[in-house]
Amino acid sequence: MEKENSGSFKYTGKSFSKLSVNDDSSAFSDCNSDRSGEFQTASSQNRRFLLACAAENPDDLIRQLVSDLESCSIDEQKQAAMEIRLLSKNKPEDRLKIAKAGAIKPLISLISSSDSQLQEYGVTAILNLSLCDENKELIASSGAIKPLVRALRTGTSTAKENAACALLRLSQMEENKVAIGRSGAIPLLVNLLETGAFRGKKDAATALYSLCSTKENKIRAVQAGIMKPLVELMADFGSNMVDKSAFVLSLLITVPEAKTAVVEEAGIPVLLEIIEVGSQRQKEIAVSILLQICEDNLVFRAMVAREGAIPALVALTQSGTNRARQKVSLILNFRLFKTSCLLQLTWHACFRNQCRFVGYLS
């Protein structure tokens, strides 16, 4: 598996990896456990009873629930999966106990159920168990990836969102990234990014960001048409997805296929708009992506120049962050931009002199 440094590139023989945008911690929050209240069959009375049983004799309760997961009754399976989901929602120690009691394999079997509610319960329980790092390897080795991908394709909206989160958790182990990519997850995550509700878009973007640290997954994402939703979300400042989408694009843009795709999806004007009116972090990400697009491609540089990039870039040299200013200086140092910049500066100087002359005559 080939893992790439998303911000590493060379210009005039020098490496500029230290200039990469890497402050993604606040743009991407890790997937949390499932949303409370989505299981209507779990009344507050049932929850109080479950918690009381768990407090008195948790090991016996967990063993019984694991046994019920393999019951011949779908209703008993649903109830057991729901209760395991509740127990594993908040406490790491319970997640470990449930996994050690053998719950993971029967829960994975439930994910393949034709009953959509049972599938959703299984996905959500696996997500909660995956929040414990010690469980991730066991979940992956027990064969969870393909069933989770199936849930991402056929499940309810909640099942799809929680499956995306569970795949994100598993992808945090490097050895799982390619396996998840080869399982068909990436086109489904791209579809969730494009068509899902806000939570689905957020979870899909976060999972894709994790998965696309490998080259073959980047190419898969581009081939799946990821550029269209990324560009659309970056252009929509009200989507609350500008940062997330731009960070995903900053990973993808290191492969040639991504550069061509973002240009074809009219991404250059969107990046320039972000440079003009975005937040400081958004401007920094956008100029980093623009630098990668312009590198070693005269056609793309000409397209950027024709879009009127120079005034916005020159303004960023005065008002941007240190890293943004460094990247702008690299762009403006390309020959095409040097010439255009000099022509514009000359034109502005002539215009100012003409104004002074007219003022003098009047």
Side-chain angles (χ1 to χ4, degrees):
M1 178 179 65
E2 181 183 354
K3 182 179 179 182
E4 295 196 336
N5 183 340
S6 62
S8 180
F9 61 95
K10 290 186 177 182
Y11 176 63
T12 63
K14 298 179 181 179
S15 173
F16 290 95
S17 58
K18 292 184 179 180
L19 303 182
S20 63
V21 177
N22 52 24
D23 184 20
D24 58 358
S25 56
S26 57
F28 290 100
S29 56
D30 204 357
C31 285
N32 299 317
S33 56
D34 62 277
R35 292 173 292 180
S36 60
E38 63 192 27
F39 291 88
Q40 297 177 359
T41 56
S43 67
S44 58
Q45 184 178 359
N46 285 344
R47 291 185 184 212
R48 286 195 296 271
F49 177 74
L50 175 64
L51 293 173
C53 291
E56 290 178 8
N57 203 335
D59 294 340
D60 286 349
L61 174 62
I62 289 170
R63 279 194 292 270
Q64 182 59 52
L65 293 175
V66 172
S67 176
D68 289 347
L69 289 175
E70 299 181 285
S71 169
C72 295
S73 167
I74 288 182
D75 289 337
E76 287 186 5
Q77 289 179 315
K78 286 182 181 179
Q79 187 68 22
M82 178 193 68
E83 291 175 354
I84 285 175
R85 166 257 175 182
L86 292 173
L87 279 175
S88 60
K89 184 173 176 65
N90 296 314
K91 293 185 178 180
E93 58 270 24
D94 288 338
R95 295 170 189 148
L96 279 171
K97 288 179 181 179
I98 292 167
K100 288 178 180 177
I104 287 175
K105 285 191 175 181
L107 284 172
I108 291 172
S109 297
L110 299 188
I111 299 175
S112 299
S113 172
S114 59
D115 185 294
S116 61
Q117 190 178 51
L118 188 56
Q119 180 190 57
E120 183 180 310
Y121 289 8
V123 169
T124 307
I126 285 293
L127 164 61
N128 287 354
L129 293 177
S130 75
L131 298 176
C132 181
D133 288 340
E134 291 88 340
N135 289 339
K136 288 190 290 191
E137 183 176 359
L138 179 57
I139 291 171
S141 64
S142 297
I145 291 174
K146 287 185 177 179
L148 286 170
V149 172
R150 192 177 303 117
L152 198 57
R153 179 183 296 109
T154 65
T156 64
S157 59
T158 299
K160 289 178 180 179
E161 291 164 357
N162 288 343
C165 276
L167 289 169
L168 163 67
R169 294 293 301 173
L170 299 183
S171 73
Q172 291 168 346
M173 299 178 65
E174 287 297 321
E175 57 269 29
N176 291 334
K177 292 181 187 289
V178 170
I180 293 171
R182 292 175 180 175
S183 71
I186 288 177
L188 298 171
L189 289 168
V190 170
N191 183 64
L192 185 60
L193 179 69
E194 185 168 14
T195 64
F198 174 70
R199 186 193 177 214
K201 292 179 186 295
K202 176 180 71 68
D203 294 343
T206 309
L208 287 163
Y209 184 78
S210 176
L211 288 167
C212 288
S213 63
T214 66
K215 183 176 181 179
E216 68 176 83
N217 284 344
K218 293 177 186 182
I219 295 172
R220 284 193 182 94
V222 174
Q223 291 173 341
I226 194 173
M227 286 305 164
K228 181 177 181 290
L230 285 182
V231 170
E232 289 176 351
L233 290 168
M234 288 192 303
D236 183 3
F237 283 87
S239 69
N240 201 27
M241 289 288 296
V242 175
D243 294 53
K244 293 178 179 65
S245 302
F247 270 116
V248 174
L249 179 53
S250 72
L251 274 184
L252 299 174
I253 206 66
T254 58
V255 296
E257 295 88 343
K259 296 177 184 181
T260 301
V262 74
V263 171
E264 290 176 348
E265 290 294 341
I268 290 175
V270 173
L271 290 168
L272 293 177
E273 183 181 11
I274 293 173
I275 290 172
E276 289 178 353
V277 301
S279 67
Q280 288 288 3
R281 181 171 68 176
Q282 290 167 355
K283 292 178 180 181
E284 188 176 315
I285 306 168
V287 77
S288 174
I289 295 168
L290 203 62
L291 175 58
Q292 298 266 17
I293 291 172
C294 291
E295 185 189 16
D296 298 327
N297 196 309
L298 291 173
V299 173
F300 291 165
R301 290 180 200 173
M303 293 176 70
V304 171
R306 283 198 303 270
E307 289 291 340
I310 290 175
L313 292 173
V314 171
L316 198 57
T317 63
Q318 305 299 316
S319 61
T321 64
N322 286 335
R323 285 187 293 192
R325 289 198 297 267
Q326 287 174 311
K327 291 173 184 179
V328 170
S329 68
L330 290 174
I331 294 175
L332 295 178
N333 201 41
F334 292 135
R335 181 175 298 175
L336 174 66
F337 288 100
K338 272 185 174 180
T339 305
S340 298
C341 195
L342 285 172
L343 286 172
Q344 289 200 28
L345 290 173
T346 302
W347 184 88
H348 283 299
C350 291
F351 180 74
R352 285 196 300 270
N353 289 334
Q354 183 181 13
C355 288
R356 290 195 191 101
F357 182 67
V358 170
Y360 175 75
L361 290 179
S362 61

